[in-house]
Amino acid sequence: MSAEVGQFALILALLLALVQSVAPLVGAWRRDGVLMAVGRQAALLQGGFVLLAFGCLAYAYVTCDFSTALVARHSHTTQPLAYRFAATWGSHEGSMLLWVLILAVYGAGVAFFGGTLRETLQARVLGVQGLVGVAFLAFLIFTSNPFLRLDPAPIEGTELNPLLQDPGLVLHPPLLYLGYVGFSVAFCFAVAALMEGRVDAAWARWVRPWVLAAWAPLTAGITLGSAWAYYELGWGGWWFWDPVENASLMPWLLGTALLHSALVLERRGALASWTVLLAILTFSLSLVGTFLVRSGILTSVHAFAVDPERGVFILGIIALTTGASLALYAWRAPSIRAGALFQPLSREGGVTLNNLFLTALTATVFLGTFSPVFIEMLNGDKISVGPPYYNRTFAPLAVPLLALVVFGPMLNWKRDEVRKVVQRLRIPLGVAGIVLLAAALFGGLKGLATAGGLAMSAWLIVGSFAVLGRRWWAGRAYLARSVATTPRSVWGLVLSHAGLGMLTLGITGVTSWESDKVLNMRPGETVEFAGRVLTLQSLEMAQGPNYEARRGILIVRGPGPDYSLRSERRFYPSAQSQTTEAGIRVGFLGNLYVSVGEESEQGVIVRLWHHPLIVWIWIGGFVMSIGGLVSLSDRRLRVGAAVKARTILQPAAAE
């Protein structure tokens, strides 16, 4: 019965989305408060019905209702309960239902928390959000229905992809979708502002918390996905420039630019047109990511195997959404007020340069991701674009961007002086210089790149805390009060920029000093590696809840107490597939990584890696995400711009 209830709830949600897409837009046009209120109620009800549908599908998975076709294809009675629940979004149809749920929840959030918005602006935002909801609910119901029945129902189901049966993958997709779909709110604000022909500081103040609400979980989702690939796939890497990895990176890059440009618009009224364009393009790239994993145009461990017809449907949504919004932008942008003027050496100038680099990085990733597709479409040739391309194009743009990160918050608004800026940055510059000199002397000419990376890490970390130092020094007469009254948005900025420095430290360490070895070993054999002595103690069979495993246990002797590492080669009978579980000794200075592979006549293949400082990549990513959440908790961001109490507007002539 849960499938029928879920199906009916989706149909009602689609009807409510249609109401939400029409009533508030007409109400804003006619200045009819009743119609605008209908739009708010429709958004709240739509969120409730989509939540009900999602709950019905989750219930079907948890109870192993194999009469539901989707459950039969992606669940098994031997799967642990947590993975049966996570299987709710482990398929194309289920993940699209999660996508629609988050979209509806964001829409309901605008309706519920948007009391400080201008009523006409809120109505237009909800109307545009309703249009997006109509498109994706129609796609879900008519092409990807998650509630189809099987008759007769099978006794047992087919297991969820074993690679997805991992705690990291329980959280990774929801976090990514909170980011992807969260940028839809910024998109809707942009389109609504273009409809009104009004983009100002108040608009930026309203939109910036929603950008933060998307950016923080997207940052955490990308970080968690990188960690999952590292420990689950057994390949010893943390980022492969896979097209689907790139699909999450591109909206993150533009979303970061949007977050900074919205701050300039809020504080100085500048970059209005550019901020609106960024909001449109960021969500468009989120839609492109949705297309990539569902169109069948690429092969990836992250991609859903979906027929191209569904990809064409999503491509149509992208074309309509992006095309219509850009056409509206082309029409309205010339009339948007330019805003306050500023000198190149100013906070506004720093953010502008920051945005240019972030946009260039996005274009680089976009070209690398899609050039194989474009070339195959043009002449049928198949090419691959991998790490060498990104090392030559992405890194040269990322380095100056990182150098600029510390400058921005230390610059004054409108104009500044070089001498004063250098004085404010003397401590970060001094620390970075010392680190650069010491690392260069230690590593020689061949280690200059490593020395530069370590110096950049010190520059970012020390420079981020210099923001606090500047603020507290200005209020040193009442230091305790100055510290206590530091806004959370400032703390969030410090954490995010310091996290970026930690991430840079991790990338520098693992890129510069990584070592690896592949060999065949038999039980009792010993190998020296990375200053340690490893002995393969035993190979044994192990039984999991829904898998069989061949487990290799290695004893590690070296600096500090002895310890053991376990690596498993798992076989899932139901899915008839294998996975590798690496054995990892995690440390702040580096990880020892062991992967036991296939057996051969000479023994078992053992792959060893030493990854210096790699854990700082993920520590830095999560610190950045926490920084975003801390900023979001700042009451000044959450309340938005104050407005007068609402009154019901009578219908009037068109604006």
Side-chain angles (χ1 to χ4, degrees):
M1 187 65 183
S2 64
E4 286 72 26
V5 173
Q7 179 75 67
F8 187 59
L10 279 183
I11 294 172
L12 289 177
L14 176 59
L15 295 175
L16 286 165
L18 286 168
V19 173
Q20 180 186 334
S21 63
V22 175
L25 290 178
V26 174
W29 177 55
R30 299 177 56 187
R31 302 188 65 81
D32 186 334
V34 174
L35 286 177
M36 288 188 278
V38 168
R40 293 193 293 271
Q41 296 304 314
L44 293 170
L45 288 172
Q46 184 201 155
F49 279 114
V50 177
L51 181 61
L52 174 61
F54 184 84
C56 288
L57 184 62
Y59 178 79
Y61 270 107
V62 169
T63 59
C64 295
D65 180 6
F66 298 127
S67 67
T68 303
L70 196 62
V71 177
R73 292 200 304 269
H74 299 283
S75 188
H76 195 276
T77 53
T78 59
Q79 280 178 207
L81 178 61
Y83 299 144
R84 291 209 303 273
F85 175 73
T88 308
W89 53 82
S91 63
H92 162 70
E93 294 84 354
S95 66
M96 282 308 306
L97 181 56
L98 177 64
W99 207 103
V100 170
L101 171 64
I102 294 174
L103 180 68
V105 168
Y106 272 116
V110 173
F112 187 79
F113 296 109
T116 59
L117 287 167
R118 291 194 306 272
E119 193 168 20
T120 54
L121 178 62
Q122 184 192 36
R124 289 186 170 102
V125 170
L126 290 175
V128 177
Q129 189 89 354
L131 288 170
V132 177
V134 167
F136 279 94
L137 279 165
F139 173 74
L140 185 65
I141 293 172
F142 297 116
T143 73
S144 309
N145 191 343
F147 295 109
L148 295 177
R149 287 288 197 181
L150 288 178
D151 188 19
I155 298 175
E156 188 57 271
T158 303
E159 195 163 29
L160 176 69
N161 184 345
L163 287 175
L164 305 182
Q165 296 184 42
D166 180 85
L169 263 293
V170 174
L171 295 174
H172 172 60
L175 286 172
L176 281 184
Y177 285 12
L178 282 169
Y180 284 155
V181 186
F183 286 127
S184 69
V185 180
F187 169 83
C188 296
F189 266 93
V191 175
L194 291 172
M195 288 179 175
E196 290 194 339
R198 181 178 174 184
V199 183
D200 52 18
W203 177 88
R205 188 173 180 82
W206 287 320
V207 79
R208 206 155 67 88
W210 294 103
V211 178
L212 269 173
W215 183 88
L218 181 59
T219 304
I222 293 173
T223 305
L224 187 58
S226 169
W228 166 81
Y230 176 73
Y231 69 74
E232 178 67 21
L233 299 183
W235 65 299
W238 60 275
W239 191 267
F240 192 66
W241 296 105
D242 179 278
V244 181
E245 292 176 333
N246 296 347
S248 63
L249 180 62
M250 288 186 288
W252 184 88
L253 290 169
L254 276 194
T256 304
L258 172 61
L259 195 58
H260 289 81
S261 65
L263 175 63
V264 173
L265 178 56
E266 177 187 343
R267 294 290 184 87
R268 296 282 298 150
L271 304 183
S273 296
W274 174 244
T275 303
V276 170
L277 181 60
L278 280 178
I280 293 172
L281 294 180
T282 301
F283 181 58
S284 296
L285 285 178
S286 296
L287 295 179
V288 167
T290 303
F291 168 74
L292 272 178
V293 299
R294 300 167 200 281
S295 61
I297 66 171
L298 57 84
T299 301
S300 166
V301 68
H302 308 82
F304 297 101
V306 178
D307 58 276
E309 287 76 9
R310 292 177 179 175
V312 171
F313 196 114
I314 297 177
L315 196 60
I317 295 175
I318 296 173
L320 286 172
T321 303
T322 306
S325 57
L326 289 178
L328 181 61
Y329 177 80
W331 176 44
R332 286 288 203 178
S335 63
I336 296 176
R337 187 170 59 89
L341 298 177
F342 55 87
Q343 296 294 323
L345 188 62
S346 62
R347 181 81 67 89
E348 300 96 320
V351 170
T352 301
L353 198 56
N354 155 292
N355 273 216
L356 290 176
F357 275 109
L358 285 168
T359 305
L361 287 170
T362 306
T364 297
V365 178
F366 186 90
L367 182 62
T369 303
F370 283 96
S371 56
V373 178
F374 296 149
I375 290 174
E376 185 175 359
M377 290 173 60
L378 289 173
N379 55 26
D381 293 340
K382 292 183 179 292
I383 68 167
S384 61
V385 176
Y389 162 81
Y390 296 100
N391 293 339
R392 289 177 173 84
T393 58
F394 192 90
L397 292 169
V399 171
L401 173 63
L402 293 177
L404 285 168
V405 166
V406 176
F407 277 100
M410 300 296 281
L411 293 170
N412 290 329
W413 293 103
K414 194 174 181 180
R415 67 172 64 88
D416 213 325
E417 299 178 20
V418 175
R419 178 182 57 82
K420 293 182 178 179
V421 174
V422 172
Q423 185 178 9
R424 292 180 211 126
L425 291 171
R426 62 186 183 278
I427 293 178
L429 284 170
V431 173
I434 293 171
V435 171
L436 178 64
L437 181 61
L441 290 173
F442 179 79
L445 292 177
K446 293 183 179 179
L448 284 180
T450 302
L454 295 176
M456 186 66 73
S457 305
W459 165 253
L460 288 166
I461 295 172
V462 177
S464 64
F465 286 98
V467 176
L468 289 175
R470 182 190 181 191
R471 181 183 182 87
W472 294 345
W473 180 255
R476 60 189 179 278
Y478 303 96
L479 183 59
R481 180 181 178 184
S482 180
V483 172
T485 57
T486 301
R488 292 183 184 179
S489 59
V490 175
W491 284 107
L493 179 150
V494 170
L495 286 173
S496 295
H497 288 185
L500 185 60
M502 297 172 193
L503 186 147
T504 303
L505 175 65
I507 294 174
T508 301
V510 72
T511 303
S512 302
W513 299 312
E514 179 186 57
S515 57
D516 64 274
K517 180 179 287 189
V518 181
L519 69 159
N520 291 287
M521 297 184 71
R522 291 190 175 92
E525 291 186 347
T526 296
V527 62
E528 292 186 10
F529 177 71
R532 300 166 176 83
V533 177
L534 290 83
T535 303
L536 181 58
Q537 183 184 57
S538 64
L539 286 171
E540 60 187 33
M541 296 303 297
Q543 187 68 44
N546 59 332
Y547 63 83
E548 302 166 355
R550 188 181 72 255
R551 178 183 298 160
I553 302 176
L554 293 96
I555 303 299
V556 182
R557 299 177 176 87
D562 296 350
Y563 57 90
S564 63
L565 290 176
R566 298 184 177 187
S567 176
E568 294 182 350
R569 185 80 170 171
R570 293 179 177 177
F571 175 71
Y572 292 78
S574 177
Q576 290 294 299
S577 64
Q578 291 184 332
T579 64
T580 299
E581 298 291 320
I584 307 173
R585 177 74 169 188
V586 178
F588 290 115
L589 296 180
N591 290 0
L592 181 62
Y593 186 108
V594 177
S595 176
V596 174
E598 305 83 1
E599 289 189 68
S600 65
E601 294 180 358
Q602 292 77 29
V604 64
I605 298 176
V606 177
R607 297 175 174 86
L608 305 173
W609 282 274
H610 179 233
H611 295 135
L613 304 178
I614 193 172
V615 71
W616 291 100
I617 292 175
W618 304 302
I619 293 176
F622 286 121
V623 168
M624 290 171 67
S625 180
I626 292 170
L629 294 177
V630 170
S631 292
L632 186 61
S633 70
D634 193 322
R635 186 175 182 274
R636 298 177 307 161
L637 286 178
R638 288 186 286 108
V639 298
V643 295
K644 294 180 180 180
R646 281 200 177 114
T647 57
I648 299 298
L649 299 174
Q650 297 302 317
E655 294 179 336

